[in-house]
């Protein structure tokens, strides 16, 4: 109880600190003004009283005024003008210095807000390990920073638990699926033609699809947990290699591929970038129709690098496009039955991991346009 009371007594609100700072600044300004006026008044001639000369010794007040020179009557006005000028200079200097002090104090008090902005920006890229540094002063900003750190810690724990579950489940499933695949292949090698062989062939196809899904889940979990170093990646070379790897599949399904690749170098994790490009092209070929097209465009345009993959296919509504990046969502217009609906989710995970931007747009005549914008290499 005493500890809580002591913390409450030591606690100072942000408004109190700002108001106290302003009061202190104006108090200093007042002291500077008083000191300046007192210093200047020490040099005002003693014969100036109320703007008129004093009575000379040995004369009565009713006598004629003493003769004055031409500059005599101007002396009081000149001294007042000097007083006004120096007072204005002192006031301006005090205001400037006071504004500098208040700005420094307020910025120092609100510094945790900038740290919170940086932490939120890192959290937007699924990096929930960032924390807001706490100041030594107990105020509303410190309380907000503590609450923000607690929220990030809980979100990090939740995402890490989800990632571990997906990775562990995938690892546990991969071994029995591989064993099942080997058993089916051995049975097909010794099975004569007939209905049983056809059944085994169908089972092998289903098992192969499950194996592909498990591998993609492992890739997705690895992407979400990736904390590897950033490298300078020749994106043009990566896209060209992945396009060559997909060309045979595209030709087998009657899909033509065209390329317009300019030089592009980005900073990122090379395996993750390769995985992103592979899934972009794989989705463009799979979600197509025979006689369709896939267009690759890579260029360095302001303010960074643009990678565009456009493909023909079934017409899509904006609502359907927004669901493409959901795990296990299967789009329309597939060539074949392979795929587990995780390719677009994997692309989105890689883009988010690097802090890039992914735009998915439906083509008016059917198909999809996927654009990834990323900053050029530093």
């Amino acid at each position: 109880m005493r500890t809580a009371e002591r913390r409450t007594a030591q606690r100072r609100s942000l408004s109190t600190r700002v108001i106290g700072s302003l009061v202190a600044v104006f108090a200093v300004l007042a002291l500077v003004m008083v000191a300046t006026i007192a210093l200047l008044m020490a040099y005002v001639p003693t014969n100036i009283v109320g703007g008129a000369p004093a009575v000379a010794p040995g004369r009565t007040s009713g006598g004629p005024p003493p003769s004055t020179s031409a500059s005599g009557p101007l002396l009081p006005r000149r001294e007042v003008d000097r007083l006004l000028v120096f007072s204005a200079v002192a006031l301006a200097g005090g205001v400037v210095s006071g504004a500098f002090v208040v700005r420094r104090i307020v910025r120092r008090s609100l510094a945790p807000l900038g740290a919170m902005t940086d932490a939120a920006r890192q959290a937007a890229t699924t990096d929930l390990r960032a924390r807001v540094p706490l100041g030594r002063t107990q105020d509303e900003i410190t309380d907000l920073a503590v609450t923000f750190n607690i929220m990030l810690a809980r979100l990090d724990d939740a995402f890490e638990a989800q990632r571990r579950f997906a990775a562990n489940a995938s690892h546990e499933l991969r071994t029995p699926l591989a064993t099942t695949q080997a058993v089916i292949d051995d049975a097909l090698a010794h099975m004569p033609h007939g209905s049983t062989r056809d059944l085994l062939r169908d089972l092998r196809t289903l098992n192969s699809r499950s194996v592909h899904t498990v591998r993609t889940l492992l890739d997705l979990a690895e992407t979400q947990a990736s904390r590897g170093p950033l490298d300078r990646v020749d994106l043009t070379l990566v896209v060209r290699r992945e396009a060559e790897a997909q060309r045979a599949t595209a030709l087998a399904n009657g899909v033509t591929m065209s390329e317009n690749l300019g030089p592009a170098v980005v900073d990122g994790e090379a395996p993750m970038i390769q995985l992103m490009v592979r899934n972009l092209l794989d989705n463009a070929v799979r979600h197509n129709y025979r006689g369709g097209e896939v267009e690759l465009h890579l260029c360095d345009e302001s303010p960074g690098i643009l990678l565009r993959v456009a493909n023909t296919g079934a017409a899509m509504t904006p609502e359907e496009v927004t669901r493409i990046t959901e795990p296990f969502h299967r789009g329309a217009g597939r060539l074949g039955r392979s795929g587990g609906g995780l390719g677009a989710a994997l692309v989105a995970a890689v883009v988010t991991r690097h802090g890039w931007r992914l735009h998915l747009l439906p083509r008016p005549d059917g198909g999809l346009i996927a654009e990834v914008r990323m900053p050029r290499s530093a």
Side-chain angles (χ1 to χ4, degrees):
M1 186 68 178
R2 291 181 179 179
T3 304
E5 292 177 355
R6 188 177 304 168
R7 290 180 179 176
T8 305
Q10 295 177 352
R11 177 188 178 86
R12 292 181 297 167
S13 66
L14 180 63
S15 59
T16 302
R17 293 168 60 187
V18 174
I19 292 174
S21 302
L22 293 177
V23 170
V25 168
F26 283 112
V28 171
L29 289 178
L31 291 175
V32 170
M33 290 297 299
V34 170
T36 304
I37 294 174
L39 184 63
L40 293 177
M41 290 300 293
Y43 291 94
V44 175
T46 56
N47 63 340
I48 299 177
V49 179
V55 178
R59 289 183 178 272
T60 61
S61 60
S67 60
T68 58
S69 61
S71 60
L74 298 177
L75 187 59
R77 181 66 180 177
R78 189 183 306 157
E79 296 298 335
V80 172
D81 289 343
R82 287 177 58 189
L83 181 62
L84 292 176
V85 170
F86 281 105
S87 298
V89 172
L91 179 62
V95 169
V96 172
S97 60
F100 176 78
V101 172
V102 170
R103 177 173 174 269
R104 184 177 180 85
I105 293 175
V106 172
R107 280 199 169 186
R108 188 173 180 179
S109 301
L110 300 181
L113 293 180
M116 257 181 275
T117 302
D118 296 337
R121 188 178 295 112
Q122 293 185 28
T125 60
T126 67
D127 185 7
L128 299 174
R129 298 174 301 170
R131 296 295 181 267
V132 180
L134 303 178
R136 291 176 293 180
T137 306
Q138 295 291 329
D139 54 24
E140 291 91 339
I141 300 297
T142 305
D143 292 344
L144 181 59
V146 171
T147 305
F148 194 80
N149 287 339
I150 294 174
M151 179 191 68
L152 288 179
R154 291 183 176 178
L155 287 175
D156 192 17
D157 292 341
F159 276 99
E160 184 64 19
Q162 180 184 9
R163 187 198 64 80
R164 285 198 304 266
F165 173 77
N168 293 335
S170 300
H171 278 292
E172 292 296 329
L173 289 173
R174 190 162 67 172
T175 300
L177 287 175
T179 304
T180 303
Q181 189 86 349
V183 171
I184 294 176
D185 290 340
D186 183 69
L188 283 173
H190 300 86
M191 183 65 62
H193 292 282
S195 59
T196 304
R197 184 179 181 84
D198 295 337
L199 177 61
L200 288 175
R201 189 179 294 110
D202 292 339
L203 287 175
R204 189 184 189 283
T205 301
L206 293 175
N207 194 80
S208 299
R209 187 187 308 172
S210 299
V211 171
H212 178 75
T213 301
V214 168
R215 289 176 180 174
T216 309
L217 276 175
L218 282 173
D219 292 337
L220 183 60
E222 182 181 356
T223 301
Q224 294 174 344
S226 177
R227 297 293 185 270
L230 299 183
D231 303 318
R232 296 183 75 251
V233 180
D234 187 348
L235 189 59
T236 306
L237 181 61
V238 173
V239 174
R240 184 174 289 116
R241 286 177 176 176
E242 294 300 325
E244 289 298 325
Q246 290 287 339
R247 197 173 301 278
T249 303
L251 291 178
N253 291 279
V255 177
T256 59
M257 299 180 64
S258 61
E259 304 174 10
N260 181 17
L261 307 179
V265 180
V266 297
D267 293 328
E269 301 178 39
M272 298 295 102
I273 294 177
Q274 184 178 3
L275 196 62
M276 177 193 72
V277 175
R278 181 183 306 160
N279 281 272
L280 278 173
L281 299 181
D282 183 68
N283 286 342
V285 172
R286 182 182 297 115
H287 296 273
N288 216 313
Y289 54 78
R290 294 192 175 276
E293 299 177 353
V294 174
E295 300 176 0
L296 305 180
H297 182 74
L298 178 63
C299 65
D300 187 344
E301 66 174 28
S302 180
I305 305 298
L306 171 64
L307 172 62
R308 179 188 293 117
V309 180
N311 65 285
T312 55
M316 303 180 66
T317 63
E319 290 76 14
E320 292 174 336
V321 172
T322 57
R323 298 184 56 195
I324 288 179
T325 56
E326 295 179 4
F328 302 106
H329 176 75
R330 296 172 178 267
R334 285 175 174 267
L335 283 173
R337 297 181 298 172
S338 61
L342 291 170
L346 224 166
V347 171
V350 175
V351 171
T352 303
R353 173 69 187 90
H354 287 82
W356 299 339
R357 290 183 298 170
L358 173 65
H359 297 283
L360 300 176
L361 305 171
R363 297 182 62 175
D365 53 349
L368 184 71
I369 299 175
E371 294 183 348
V372 179
R373 294 186 179 271
M374 60 203 87
R376 62 180 62 90
S377 175

